Structures are given as C-alpha cells and as structure tokens.
C-alpha cells in the first residue's frame, strides 16, 4: 500500500537547483516514481550540461522532463518556469525550493549590503516567487505539495554567515505562514533540514576527506548523509499519507552524537 501511495504518475514535480546534488536526486526519485519533472539550473554552460544530463537520466524512466535555465531568485525565471511547465504538463502539482547559494564565510563586520540582499533573494525571495507562481494552480486543483530546503542555522544563527542564517529563519516563517492558510485546499508546506550531505561543492570541499570524517563523527549514524536519503523524504512528504504533515520541519541530520 505504501509503495502505491508513493506513485506519482500523472503529477508534475518542479525542483529548483536540480542540476546536481540534492536537487538532482529529488528529480530522479520522482521520475522513478512516475512523475513528470521540471529541472532548473543557472544559465551557464556548465550548469546547462548538468541539467541536460539530469533530463536524459529522468527520461529513461519514461516520463516527461523539461529543463528551464535561470536563477530561481529572479522573478522572470520563475515566470518562465510557470509558463513552460504549464505549456508542457498542464500544471505543477509539487515543487521543491532547493536552489543553493555559493559558499559564504564572512563575519558581520565584513558582510556587505550586497551580500545581505543576495542571500535573502536566493533563498527567501525565490521561495516567495515560487509560491506566488504555483500556489494558485494547486488551489484550483485542490491538491499540492511544497517543500523548502532549509538548514539548521535558521535556529542556531551563524556569525560567519548572517545573511544565510537570516534568510533560512525567514524561510521557515514563510513555511509556517503558507501552511496555516493552504491546508484547507489540500496543500501542504514543509521544511527539510539536511545535515552534512555528501555533495559536490564549488568550494572544493567535496575533496576534503578530513571534513567528511569530522562531520560523520559528529553524527549518531557515523557517516555523511546521501542526497538520495533527502530525496526519499521528499517523496514521503508528497505522498497521500503525508496529508496531515504541514508547517513542520523534518531533520535529516544523522542524529546527535551520544554524550559520554
């Protein structure tokens, strides 16, 4: 019964920032479960190659796959996502706001106004644009699933990344606010908080074995988290049985290390 309720044939999933890593894993998870998928990545040569590769992989499952390039923090990009998705698939039933930011490590004293606005736009404003674009269609259809990819520094704060932590905190408030009003239309809105996930990072941290080892040692499971584990949680949150789960946070952080 559970596997049947994780079948998404006839539905469309959109994932921003899905040319690699967590976003790619989510696209392929849903394609494997029968959903048509909309892939989004920034409009650079490298990002285009990655996005097209994800489309090729998704299409192997016999589903429709569409690539729309552009920054998800740009209103025009989100409008193109809406227009092209609806032209191809009718409407978007589910989306994951996942577009990632570049690595940032600056104290308050070194953080500029440009940094502040860039990171709030990348995470918080991008998610607002997506909601304004796709919620009306979900409301009309009487069903929808929205997932915001968040992070633990929304609660802990971060002296070395104040704009990012602030945008994530605002994002959770957006999640709760949307959930409180959209539940009556069969639409759920939730946050996923990944811990240290084994991904390719532009900063080169993907090659840092010591960092992986240190991260794994801080978790109860004693290993880093895979993108596929995050993707499966997205599938659960989009399933029929998750209809009462809304306005909440699912932590995929490997659990805390036991005190000794």
């Amino acid at each position: 019964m559970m596997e049947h309720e994780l079948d998404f044939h006839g539905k469309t999933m959109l994932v921003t920032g899905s040319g690699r890593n967590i976003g790619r894993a989510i696209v392929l998870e849903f394609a494997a479960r029968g959903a048509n998928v909309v892939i989004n990545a920034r409009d650079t040569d490298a990002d285009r190659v990655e996005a097209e590769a994800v489309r090729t992989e998704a299409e192997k499952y016999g589903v429709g796959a569409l690539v729309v390039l552009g920054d998800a923090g740009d209103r025009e990009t989100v409008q193109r996502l809406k227009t092209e998705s609806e032209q191809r698939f009718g409407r978007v039933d589910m989306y994951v706001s996942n577009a990632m930011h570049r690595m940032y490590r600056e104290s308050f004293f070194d953080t500029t106004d440009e940094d502040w606005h860039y990171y709030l736009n990348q995470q918080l404003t991008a998610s607002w644009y997506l909601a304004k674009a796709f919620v009306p269609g979900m409301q009309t259809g009487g069903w929808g699933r929205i997932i915001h990819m968040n992070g633990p520094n929304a609660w802990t704060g971060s002296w070395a990344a104040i704009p990012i932590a602030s945008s994530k905190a605002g994002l959770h408030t957006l999640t709760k606010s949307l959930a409180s009003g959209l539940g009556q239309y069969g639409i759920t809105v939730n946050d996923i908080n990944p811990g240290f996930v084994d991904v390719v990072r532009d900063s080169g941290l993907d090659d840092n074995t010591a960092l992986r080892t240190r991260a794994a040692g801080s978790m109860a499971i004693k290993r880093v988290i895979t993108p596929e584990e995050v993707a499966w949680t997205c599938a659960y949150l989009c399933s029929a049985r998750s209809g009462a789960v809304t306005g909440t946070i699912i932590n995929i952080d490997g659990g805390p290390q036991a005190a000794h």
Side-chain angles (χ1 to χ4, degrees):
M1 177 64 74
M2 189 64 175
E3 280 303 306
H4 173 73
E5 291 178 352
L6 288 170
D7 184 326
F8 297 107
H9 282 86
K11 296 191 182 300
T12 299
M13 164 61 88
L14 181 152
V15 186
T16 60
S18 48
R20 60 164 69 177
N21 298 334
I22 292 173
R24 171 185 174 275
I26 297 169
V27 165
L28 297 180
E29 178 78 31
F30 279 81
R33 296 182 180 278
N36 297 317
V37 290
V38 182
I39 302 149
N40 162 254
R42 289 186 174 87
D43 193 4
T44 69
D45 289 343
D47 288 316
R48 184 179 297 107
V49 168
E50 288 182 337
E52 291 294 344
V54 176
R55 171 162 62 180
T56 298
E57 289 183 80
E59 288 176 338
K60 291 177 181 178
Y61 293 103
V63 301
L66 171 69
V67 172
V68 180
L69 299 175
D71 192 325
D74 177 63
R75 187 193 295 273
E76 182 179 328
T77 296
V78 175
Q79 186 56 50
R80 285 193 295 106
L81 279 165
K82 174 179 169 62
T83 300
E84 295 185 32
S85 298
E86 291 179 351
Q87 286 175 347
R88 178 76 181 274
F89 301 121
R91 77 182 183 99
V92 169
D93 305 280
M94 311 166 282
Y95 71 76
V96 180
S97 182
N98 173 68
M100 293 292 138
H101 46 70
R102 62 179 184 263
M103 291 294 292
Y104 186 77
R105 287 284 175 186
E106 298 289 349
S107 75
F108 164 79
F109 298 108
D110 295 321
T111 297
T112 66
D113 289 348
E114 289 74 19
D115 293 332
W116 174 262
H117 290 294
Y118 175 81
Y119 286 103
L120 260 67
N121 191 61
Q122 285 295 296
Q123 188 120 50
L124 182 55
T125 304
S127 297
W128 170 256
Y129 288 157
L130 288 167
K132 292 295 283 185
F134 294 108
V135 163
M138 294 178 181
Q139 179 190 23
T140 299
W143 192 91
R145 297 290 187 263
I146 298 170
I147 297 171
H148 295 145
M149 207 59 62
N150 208 312
N153 56 10
W155 289 266
T156 63
S158 174
W159 177 250
I162 291 174
I164 295 174
S166 299
S167 69
K168 289 179 180 294
L171 182 61
H172 183 56
T173 299
L174 176 63
T175 296
K176 292 191 293 183
S177 299
L178 290 175
S180 69
L182 295 179
Q184 62 187 308
Y185 304 113
I187 304 168
T188 66
V189 192
N190 291 289
D191 279 355
I192 288 179
N193 283 357
F196 190 94
V197 180
D198 195 12
V199 298
V200 176
R201 304 171 197 272
D202 290 333
S203 63
L205 293 179
D206 52 303
D207 295 323
N208 193 326
T209 302
L211 179 65
R212 274 190 174 85
T213 301
R214 188 164 62 250
S218 69
M219 293 185 275
I221 62 174
K222 299 305 177 189
R223 62 171 177 81
V224 295
I225 300 148
T226 69
E228 290 73 22
E229 288 172 313
V230 179
W232 193 93
T233 305
C234 288
Y236 161 70
L237 287 174
C238 291
S239 69
R241 287 195 180 186
S242 71
V245 181
T246 193
T248 194
I249 310 149
I250 294 187
N251 295 310
I252 308 177
D253 57 9
Q257 184 177 26
H260 297 288

